[in-house]
Amino acid sequence: MTLTARWSVVAMTDLTTTTARDLLPEWRLALTSERKSPKTIALYLDAVGRYLTWTETQDLPPMRRTSLQTWITTMLAAGRSPSTARIRQQAVRRYAAWLLAVGHLDGAPFQGMTSPKLDQPVVDPLTVAQVRALLQTCQPEAADVPATARPLRHARDEAIIRLMAETGIRLSEVIALTAGDLDLATGLVTIRRGKGGRGRVIPIGQATATAIRTYLAVRTTQPHADREELWLGERRCGLAADALYRSLRRRAERAGITGFRPHRLRHTAAHRWLAAGGSESGLMAMAGWTRVEMLIRYTRANASERAAAEARRLDLGNL
């Protein structure tokens, strides 16, 4: 390709911010028809909307590599996390790919562009003592109070904490559960649509099943027990993800656990599985992972501790 031809392609890929914004409803329809989750669609549209607003204020063409690189650099310099910058950059690149596919662009402006490098912090799993302290915050203060007489939030949160700590189920997957997803007789929970649209069936032990049964008994006494959602809030509505997040954070504070996020329960479940001798393939099936990289990411915090315990069991020096 000649130099003149290359420059003609760049010019043809230019799209005004106004035109790019006007095409967003069409892209939303395309994403919906592809069965992208509502959360993913909202995330993509928010990121692209932010980018188009920024290019408009900076008087820059949106479908230029230098424009996107400048936006990402500006975000990072302002203190945004690399993961946020990465997600937003990927959303803009996906939008550009769609524009190219449907004929609104004659070239791929961001082809070959790499994403911001992510930090990979080590997330320590909770200890058994910390999980027990978290569960203790769900117990009634009076020892003679029957389990089924506890407030809804206590019975609910105990069931959720046990479920997350045992199986590593994601917070979003917890919220999406319905009563029909439970088979407590056989100890199975069905996740209809996990991350990436993948479903799976996960087993639960007796303690978790008992906690869920206790919650269900309390749930039947609620005025809004006819709702489809499994987990109820205390204001005649279903339980939202942010409300559960806040509830678990408050319990962690009362339990004296610092740096707590509900996602640490997923790390905890992964570590305990391997520490107890569970297989890596079994853990991947439980957690809903399709790549080994995710297993390594979630379990590397205590990898040396588990390796030392395994080495002691193997006792290979005993010749």
Side-chain angles (χ1 to χ4, degrees):
M1 183 182 291
T2 65
L3 181 61
T4 302
R6 283 201 300 269
W7 276 107
S8 67
V9 170
V10 170
M12 291 170 71
T13 61
D14 278 348
L15 200 71
T16 67
T17 299
T18 300
T19 302
R21 184 176 285 111
D22 289 344
L23 291 169
L24 284 177
E26 189 177 337
W27 188 42
R28 179 199 292 271
L29 179 62
L31 293 172
T32 304
S33 69
E34 294 169 6
R35 295 193 68 242
K36 298 292 186 186
S37 72
K39 182 178 179 181
T40 297
I41 294 174
L43 187 67
Y44 283 177
L45 292 173
D46 175 72
V48 174
R50 289 172 183 269
Y51 175 61
L52 294 178
T53 297
W54 179 84
T55 57
E56 191 170 42
T57 60
Q58 301 298 312
D59 196 24
L60 292 173
M63 295 300 143
R64 287 284 183 90
R65 178 186 292 258
T66 52
S67 297
L68 183 53
Q69 288 172 330
T70 303
W71 185 54
I72 297 299
T73 301
T74 301
M75 269 197 291
L76 294 172
R80 291 288 186 179
S81 69
S83 60
T84 296
R86 184 187 184 96
I87 291 170
R88 290 179 179 175
Q89 187 222 56
Q90 289 175 340
V92 174
R93 290 170 63 186
R94 287 181 183 272
Y95 184 44
W98 174 79
L99 290 170
L100 175 63
V102 298
H104 293 299
L105 291 178
D106 293 320
F110 309 128
Q111 185 175 8
M113 190 172 178
T114 58
S115 300
K117 182 180 178 181
L118 296 181
D119 298 327
Q120 295 190 0
V122 174
V123 178
D124 291 322
L126 300 177
T127 65
V128 172
Q130 287 176 319
V131 176
R132 288 173 177 167
L134 203 57
L135 290 170
Q136 187 59 39
T137 66
C138 304
Q139 302 306 312
E141 295 183 3
D144 58 347
V145 175
T148 54
R150 283 184 295 169
L152 175 74
R153 67 181 183 279
H154 290 340
R156 179 199 67 206
D157 288 1
E158 178 181 352
I160 289 174
I161 291 168
R162 287 188 180 276
L163 180 62
M164 295 181 73
E166 180 180 358
T167 69
I169 185 173
R170 299 177 179 92
L171 191 73
S172 59
E173 295 169 340
V174 170
I175 292 297
L177 289 175
T178 66
D181 297 328
L182 305 177
D183 186 348
L184 299 181
T186 58
L188 295 175
V189 176
T190 299
I191 298 172
R192 303 290 174 184
R193 183 182 173 90
K195 191 172 183 179
R198 295 181 294 272
R200 66 189 188 279
V201 178
I202 55 176
I204 58 174
Q206 187 59 47
T208 299
T210 298
I212 294 176
R213 286 192 182 94
T214 299
Y215 162 72
L216 291 175
V218 177
R219 187 186 189 282
T220 60
T221 67
Q222 304 302 307
H224 49 304
D226 58 343
R227 293 185 66 94
E228 181 181 4
E229 302 98 322
L230 174 60
W231 311 108
L232 300 180
E234 294 184 293
R235 297 182 179 179
R236 298 176 180 265
C237 62
L239 181 65
D242 57 347
L244 175 58
Y245 189 100
R246 291 193 299 270
S247 181
L248 296 183
R249 284 290 296 266
R250 287 193 294 268
R251 293 192 184 282
E253 291 174 2
R254 290 198 291 273
I257 302 172
T258 58
F260 176 84
R261 292 184 301 118
H263 207 64
R264 282 185 70 185
L265 290 169
R266 186 162 167 82
H267 290 266
T268 301
H271 164 66
R272 294 185 67 227
W273 177 281
L274 294 182
S279 68
E280 293 183 348
S281 60
L283 175 56
M284 290 182 66
M286 280 281 289
W289 295 323
T290 57
R291 296 183 293 117
V292 175
E293 291 84 351
M294 294 303 294
L295 183 147
I296 296 172
R297 173 185 168 188
Y298 274 81
T299 61
R300 68 170 176 256
N302 292 71
S304 58
E305 174 188 317
R306 292 191 301 272
E310 187 173 356
R312 286 192 291 270
R313 289 196 304 270
L314 294 174
D315 194 18
L316 298 181
N318 186 13
L319 302 173

